[in-house]
């Protein structure tokens, strides 16, 4: 049997990793400035994280949600404290798409409406409702297209309100910072306007923080830069540092009932151990402080590269924009300079999503390699 061929692959086979370094089968080290789509939050094979998982595996790795699991309670308590949202409740699942799917479903249960407002260049996952609110027709199958979704431009609050006034909108879903779409984000005025009009028209405001959350923006959640509160917050990627886990944080106004939401693997013992370890390290190593320090350093360092026309995003969720297609540049950075970066729907953008532990020396290495690569590709 062969693998179903849906991924274009670089000819690189990682065999081990530590912090921000990945080593391939030939012993070549790569600087990881992409974190596997922003998944690696506290660094590869972080010692506390590894020990926590190994210890848990020796006890119990999995059982269903039909039994007591104190690790879920511990995770919820620590997550509430670190995010500043202790009055919210937590539902656990296994991925970002599943988190967004459950958020959309819970919103529809709550107000008995179905239409969703999403935004141009959004990406929310590949499951049924999540992919329907993703602005990419190539990955939306006919079975997904049955969902009723209206796409609007970012930062056009009057267009959003015009749709909400029609009375059939269940939820508005928006990324704290757009990921795949190209690191665009709403203004503070726009986010605050969304919070206000969603409350006015009984529409659920869903913040997709799957990639922009967990300290990546310099605050625990990117929308917290705008001093708003969402009704539902979706989390995943950095939550488990590579172990599959996701969830939604749910505002107090939502009422739970048995069977309303459910999952087989979500919140299992190993997943919770991984997620608790991540929160431990974010707090003990003050990683959000590091994010803000490195962000400031990056913005100064990138000025050495005149070909860069803009730095988009915030914290360690960044897009470095050029006035040309960067696919060749990205390939050279990986194959010749041994530095992982990411791409986006915007073909002129390099995406930078390193572990939150990255240091200034790593940024210096990137800047030198970028300057050399730009000379070599031109």
């Amino acid at each position: 049997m062969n693998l179903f061929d849906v991924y274009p692959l670089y000819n690189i086979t990682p065999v081990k990793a530590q912090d921000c370094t990945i080593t391939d089968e030939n012993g070549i080290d790569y600087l990881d400035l992409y974190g596997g789509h922003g998944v690696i939050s506290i660094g590869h094979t972080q010692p506390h994280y590894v020990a926590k998982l190994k210890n848990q595996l020796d006890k119990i790795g999995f059982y269903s949600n039909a039994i007591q699991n104190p690790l879920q309670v511990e995770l919820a308590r620590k997550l509430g404290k670190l995010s500043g949202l202790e009055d919210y409740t937590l539902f656990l699942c296994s991925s970002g798409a599943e988190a967004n799917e459950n958020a959309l479903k819970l919103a529809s249960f709550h107000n008995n409406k179905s239409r969703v407002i999403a935004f141009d260049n959004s990406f929310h996952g590949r499951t049924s409702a999540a992919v329907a609110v993703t602005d990419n027709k190539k990955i939306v199958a006919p079975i997904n297209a049955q969902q009723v979704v209206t796409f609007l431009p970012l930062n056009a609050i009057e267009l959003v309100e015009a749709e909400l006034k029609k009375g059939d909108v269940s939820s508005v879903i928006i990324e704290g910072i757009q990921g795949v779409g190209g690191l665009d984000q709403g203004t503070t005025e726009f986010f605050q306007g969304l919070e206000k009009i969603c409350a006015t028209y009984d529409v659920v405001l869903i913040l997709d923080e799957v990639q922009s959350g967990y300290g990546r923006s310099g605050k625990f959640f990117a929308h917290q830069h705008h001093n708003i509160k969402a009704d539902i917050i979706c989390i995943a990627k950095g939550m488990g540092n590579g172990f599959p886990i996701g969830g939604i944080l749910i505002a107090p106004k939502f009422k739970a009932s048995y069977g309303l939401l459910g999952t087989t693997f979500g919140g299992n013992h190993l997943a919770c151990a991984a997620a608790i370890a991540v929160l431990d390290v974010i707090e003990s190593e003050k990683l959000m402080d590091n994010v803000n320090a490195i962000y400031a350093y990056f913005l100064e360092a990138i000025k050495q590269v005149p070909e860069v026309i803009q730095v988009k995003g915030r914290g360690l969720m960044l897009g470095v924009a050029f006035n040309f297609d960067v696919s060749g540049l990205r390939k050279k950075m990986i194959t010749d300079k041994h530095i992982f970066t990411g791409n986006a729907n915007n073909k002129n953008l390099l995406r930078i999503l390193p572990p939150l532990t990255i240091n200034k020396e790593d940024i210096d290495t990137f800047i030198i390699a970028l300057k050399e690569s730009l000379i070599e590709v031109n």
Side-chain angles (χ1 to χ4, degrees):
M1 182 185 292
N2 293 320
L3 296 173
F4 196 50
D5 189 12
V6 293
Y7 301 115
L9 301 176
Y10 284 100
N11 189 26
I12 298 169
T13 306
V15 294
K16 64 179 180 178
Q18 185 174 19
D19 198 15
C20 298
T21 302
I22 292 173
T23 306
D24 73 7
E25 61 183 347
N26 300 311
I28 298 172
D29 289 337
Y30 294 79
L31 175 60
D32 185 9
L33 295 187
Y34 191 55
H37 308 303
V39 166
I40 301 300
S41 50
I42 59 171
H44 294 278
T45 61
Q46 201 280 340
H48 175 68
Y49 173 84
V50 171
K52 192 94 172 174
L53 275 170
K54 286 181 175 178
N55 183 55
Q56 186 60 48
L57 192 57
D58 284 336
K59 295 177 179 177
I60 180 173
F62 170 83
Y63 206 76
S64 80
N65 284 300
I67 47 79
Q68 299 284 332
N69 184 347
L71 292 173
Q72 293 184 356
V73 177
E74 181 183 354
L75 173 57
R77 180 181 57 80
K78 288 189 173 183
L79 178 55
K81 179 184 175 185
L82 202 55
S83 67
L85 298 170
E86 291 177 284
D87 58 335
Y88 282 53
T89 52
L90 175 65
F91 174 78
L92 292 164
C93 54
S94 299
S95 70
E98 192 183 350
N100 286 328
E101 196 80 22
N102 278 288
L104 293 163
K105 183 178 179 180
L106 182 59
S108 188
F109 272 132
H110 177 73
N111 54 26
N112 202 33
K113 295 184 281 188
S114 60
R115 186 159 67 104
V116 181
I117 302 299
F119 295 93
D120 295 346
N121 294 317
S122 59
F123 186 92
H124 298 290
R126 293 176 181 268
T127 53
S128 185
V131 79
V133 297
T134 289
D135 186 21
N136 183 349
K137 288 182 172 60
K138 292 180 180 178
I139 64 172
V140 179
I143 195 171
N144 310 127
Q146 298 176 76
Q147 309 283 347
V148 183
V149 181
T150 302
F151 289 96
L152 298 173
L154 281 174
N155 298 320
I157 195 67
E158 70 284 354
L159 296 182
V160 181
E161 185 163 19
E163 295 300 323
L164 268 54
K165 283 180 177 178
K166 296 176 182 178
D168 64 336
V169 175
S170 171
S171 60
V172 173
I173 185 168
I174 184 170
E175 293 159 274
I177 302 169
Q178 289 190 336
V180 173
L183 284 301
D184 290 317
Q185 56 187 312
T187 63
T188 293
E189 182 182 15
F190 183 65
F191 274 108
Q192 291 180 353
L194 286 180
E195 180 185 38
K196 181 179 178 180
I197 63 174
C198 284
T200 298
Y201 296 101
D202 188 29
V203 172
V204 175
L205 178 57
I206 301 172
L207 255 296
D208 178 350
E209 294 275 9
V210 166
Q211 190 169 113
S212 55
Y214 265 71
R216 183 158 291 281
S217 73
K219 288 187 180 291
F220 198 86
F221 291 123
H223 72 273
Q224 291 174 325
H225 287 281
H226 308 294
N227 295 313
I228 67 164
K229 282 198 168 185
D231 295 312
I232 305 174
I233 303 164
C234 306
I235 53 178
K237 292 191 186 296
M239 185 178 185
N241 201 49
F243 199 99
I245 185 171
I248 54 176
L249 278 65
I250 304 164
K253 70 180 183 181
F254 293 88
K255 180 175 174 56
S257 61
Y258 293 151
L260 188 71
L261 303 177
T263 174
T264 296
F265 296 105
N268 67 72
H269 297 75
L270 274 176
C272 286
I276 290 166
V278 166
L279 292 175
D280 288 344
V281 174
I282 287 175
E283 185 174 28
S284 66
E285 297 191 5
K286 297 180 172 58
L287 291 187
M288 284 185 279
D289 289 345
N290 188 61
V291 169
N292 289 313
I294 298 299
Y295 176 43
Y297 187 80
F298 185 95
L299 291 179
E300 284 301 312
I302 203 70
K303 292 177 182 177
Q304 302 172 44
V305 187
E307 294 89 345
V308 174
I309 61 173
Q310 186 183 7
V311 176
K312 300 172 74 174
R314 192 193 296 264
L316 291 178
M317 187 173 175
L318 300 173
V320 181
F322 300 85
N323 62 2
F324 59 88
D325 187 321
V326 300
S327 55
L329 175 63
R330 180 171 174 252
K331 183 176 182 181
K332 177 169 279 292
M333 292 286 286
I334 294 173
T335 58
D336 294 0
K337 306 303 180 183
H338 305 140
I339 297 177
F340 287 0
T341 60
N343 60 359
N345 289 345
N346 180 347
K347 300 304 180 186
N348 294 357
L349 201 73
L350 280 180
R351 268 204 295 168
I352 309 296
L353 299 165
L356 308 186
T357 54
I358 194 167
N359 59 43
K360 293 178 180 178
E361 290 75 17
D362 294 329
I363 300 302
D364 292 340
T365 298
F366 167 71
I367 297 296
I368 292 168
L370 181 59
K371 290 194 290 187
E372 292 175 352
S373 297
L374 284 165
I375 293 170
E376 293 164 11
V377 298
N378 292 326

